[in-house]
Amino acid sequence: MKVKIENLTKKYGEKSALREVNLDVPDGNFMVILGPSGSGKTTLLRILAGLLYPTEGEIFFNDINITRKPANKRNVAMVFQNYPLFPHMTVLENLRFPLESQRDGKIFKRRINSDKVIQKKVKETMELLHIEEHSQKYPSQLSGGEQQRTAIGRELIRDPVLFLFDEPLSNIDARLRYEMRSWIRRLHSVIKKTMIYVTHDQSEASSLGDLIVLLNEGVIVQIGSPEELYKNPVSKFVAQFIGNYPMNFLPFTTKKGKVLLNEKEISVPKNITTIIKEKKIENGDFGFRAESIREFNPKKPKEKDMLCLDCTVEYSEKILDQQILTLKFDDRKIFYVTKTKKMFKENDLVTILLHFENIHIFNESGEKVT
Ligand code: ADP
Ligand code: MG
């Protein structure tokens, strides 16, 4: 089923949790929405599930406007961080439950699930989830991953038209989280239902999504592949949020067409001075990734179009074959990741080089200009 979100705004009192959100989710897509805590992810999912109504805007499921349709008529599955399984029921009984309540409940008013149908569906679902061997266990006897798989199974068995995942793996330990991610992706490739997965974890989003929708303060700030967001962030916010290390920033000023760093004039390539002039930038930031920094080697001739900075080591940390250094350049901190064999220690002097090709330029309001 395809989902269309049109001009969605949600206010809680005066505060806007979502502002004019527009998004198309194609049929069968696995869409990842990434955003820091408080950016409006849960609000968006609750609106899609019908648990909340928007202040403005519309939601379409397969071109039908369902904005005011109540939750129990939408057939949407939602999986949370803590998904409550019934503790007094076995895995098998937990899975049977949604089908039995459909059969017995007044929602459908007719007997739709015969015992035979239920049995067949439960069997299929357990196979798909690889939990057959645990069918007689109670939730307390299952591992975190098995519990979460059963919880997903309980949604799956109802045959929903849309799956919403609200940070389902936040409570699971790191190794299992990794397994569960690939399991969810495989589940999607088998059942091919439209899924929307939200997370605040950029590495989770990058590993799960072909396309990431990045949300901040209720606004979609960028949509792109993990690589696009990493290589071409539209703003300082995106640059800081994506990547294993936040991007480094150094503020610059301009004076009569010259670029100053710490009030000292530096030489920058012509294309950059042209853009700075064209866009009339007086203050901005140079942004660069820890991974694009090189150490200056006095034996090699200095290349053109390089920014050269004399720094001191404030802190160094070794992780396997990498050293992660926090450098100081005047009062600014710079993250630098290196595989060099030389061991750095506090207060060592390090001269770093940056190719201007690897430097992003942000204007005063934090938007990327080049
Ligand atoms: P996320 O899931 O990305 O952490 P939420 O959608 O839960 O974000 O919240 C978005 C914003 O709306 C937050 O600032 C939050 O404090 C606010 N908010 C969420 N629910 C309510 C509510 N019921 N009443 C008032 N403010 C709320
Ligand atoms: Mg949330």
Side-chain angles (χ1 to χ4, degrees):
M1 190 191 65
K2 66 175 174 179
V3 178
K4 189 178 183 65
I5 299 170
E6 225 175 66
N7 272 325
L8 204 69
T9 293
K10 175 69 190 176
K11 288 187 180 169
Y12 294 113
E14 282 297 292
K15 195 181 176 309
S16 295
L18 293 171
R19 281 182 285 163
E20 293 175 31
V21 170
N22 286 286
L23 188 64
D24 280 315
V25 188
D27 183 24
N29 198 271
F30 188 94
M31 183 157 281
V32 176
I33 300 179
L34 170 67
S37 168
S39 56
K41 304 181 296 297
T42 298
T43 303
L44 180 61
L45 293 192
R46 289 176 63 84
I47 291 174
L48 288 171
L51 301 170
L52 264 182
Y53 289 145
T55 314
E56 272 170 58
E58 321 281 343
I59 308 277
F60 299 85
F61 284 180
N62 276 346
D63 300 321
I64 298 166
N65 190 334
I66 52 98
T67 316
R68 299 280 150 191
K69 204 172 181 178
N72 61 9
K73 299 238 167 71
R74 292 193 190 189
N75 197 16
V76 169
M78 193 144 163
V79 181
F80 308 90
Q81 201 179 104
N82 293 315
Y83 191 95
L85 290 168
F86 295 117
H88 61 286
M89 289 186 186
T90 62
V91 167
L92 184 84
E93 288 161 351
N94 264 289
L95 289 178
R96 289 179 67 93
F97 182 79
L99 298 180
E100 282 169 350
S101 47
Q102 270 181 358
R103 179 186 62 192
D104 305 334
K106 295 202 170 56
I107 311 169
F108 291 92
K109 290 197 178 117
R110 60 195 158 99
R111 295 172 67 89
I112 49 163
N113 293 319
S114 68
D115 276 346
K116 223 171 155 186
V117 170
I118 292 183
Q119 235 166 32
K120 185 163 168 280
K121 274 197 177 171
V122 169
K123 188 166 174 289
E124 282 169 5
T125 307
M126 283 204 289
E127 279 168 12
L128 192 61
L129 300 171
H130 303 297
I131 47 172
E132 301 100 309
E133 57 185 299
H134 307 298
S135 69
Q136 296 308 322
K137 288 187 184 166
Y138 289 92
S140 61
Q141 297 168 303
L142 301 174
S143 72
E146 288 154 4
Q147 282 186 23
Q148 193 58 295
R149 280 192 334 246
T150 310
I152 293 172
R154 214 169 66 171
E155 294 293 304
L156 192 68
I157 208 158
R158 294 193 290 113
D159 208 12
V161 290
L162 171 67
F163 271 86
L164 306 174
F165 291 95
D166 193 355
E167 316 215 28
L169 307 182
S170 306
N171 277 356
I172 295 179
D173 69 73
R175 221 194 57 146
L176 195 61
R177 198 153 61 213
Y178 183 76
E179 272 176 39
M180 282 295 289
R181 277 181 201 168
S182 58
W183 181 82
I184 289 177
R185 273 316 301 243
R186 256 180 304 171
L187 179 70
H188 175 254
S189 67
V190 174
I191 66 171
K192 297 189 173 65
K193 290 274 170 80
T194 311
M195 295 186 176
I196 301 178
Y197 188 105
V198 314
T199 176
H200 69 274
D201 177 343
Q202 63 88 29
S203 69
E204 180 165 294
S206 301
S207 74
L208 274 171
D210 306 324
L211 210 60
I212 296 176
V213 176
L214 185 53
L215 201 63
N216 188 32
E217 294 179 355
V219 176
I220 294 180
V221 288
Q222 191 168 0
I223 300 179
S225 69
E227 201 185 350
E228 274 166 346
L229 299 193
Y230 178 79
K231 288 198 169 154
N232 211 1
V234 295
S235 64
K236 277 175 76 178
F237 166 77
V238 182
Q240 273 174 311
F241 200 63
I242 303 283
N244 289 334
Y245 308 97
M247 189 180 272
N248 293 304
F249 296 109
L250 284 181
F252 67 83
T253 53
T254 60
K255 204 172 177 181
K256 293 183 188 144
K258 306 250 188 288
V259 180
L260 312 178
L261 204 59
N262 275 337
E263 288 164 25
K264 280 183 220 104
E265 188 187 332
I266 54 166
S267 99
V268 297
K270 186 128 196 345
N271 63 324
I272 293 181
T273 28
T274 313
I275 290 172
I276 287 179
K277 243 184 241 165
E278 266 172 19
K279 309 233 169 183
K280 299 195 176 78
I281 298 174
E282 291 176 3
N283 300 291
D285 283 283
F286 287 140
F288 50 92
R289 298 261 174 214
E291 302 85 311
S292 61
I293 297 174
R294 301 279 162 267
E295 199 185 341
F296 174 61
N297 181 349
K299 286 180 203 145
K300 281 192 192 162
K302 234 180 188 174
E303 286 172 59
K304 245 185 99 214
D305 291 348
M306 297 284 257
L307 182 63
C308 189
L309 305 171
D310 293 321
C311 306
T312 52
V313 176
E314 186 174 83
Y315 182 70
S316 77
E317 193 179 49
K318 197 158 162 52
I319 298 179
L320 300 175
D321 62 339
Q322 281 191 332
Q323 280 185 78
I324 298 149
L325 304 175
T326 310
L327 304 177
K328 264 186 97 169
F329 174 72
D330 281 299
D331 59 344
R332 286 274 150 177
K333 283 189 183 17
I334 296 175
F335 285 111
Y336 169 39
V337 181
T338 172
K339 286 196 170 175
T340 173
K341 296 221 163 49
K342 179 166 86 186
M343 282 302 291
F344 289 97
K345 49 184 199 314
E346 232 174 275
N347 297 323
D348 278 355
L349 297 175
V350 190
T351 302
I352 57 169
L353 287 178
L354 279 156
H355 209 287
F356 269 99
E357 266 177 13
N358 296 324
I359 296 182
H360 306 260
I361 297 189
F362 298 90
N363 67 15
E364 214 168 0
S365 18
E367 294 154 0
K368 183 167 141 74
V369 288
T370 177

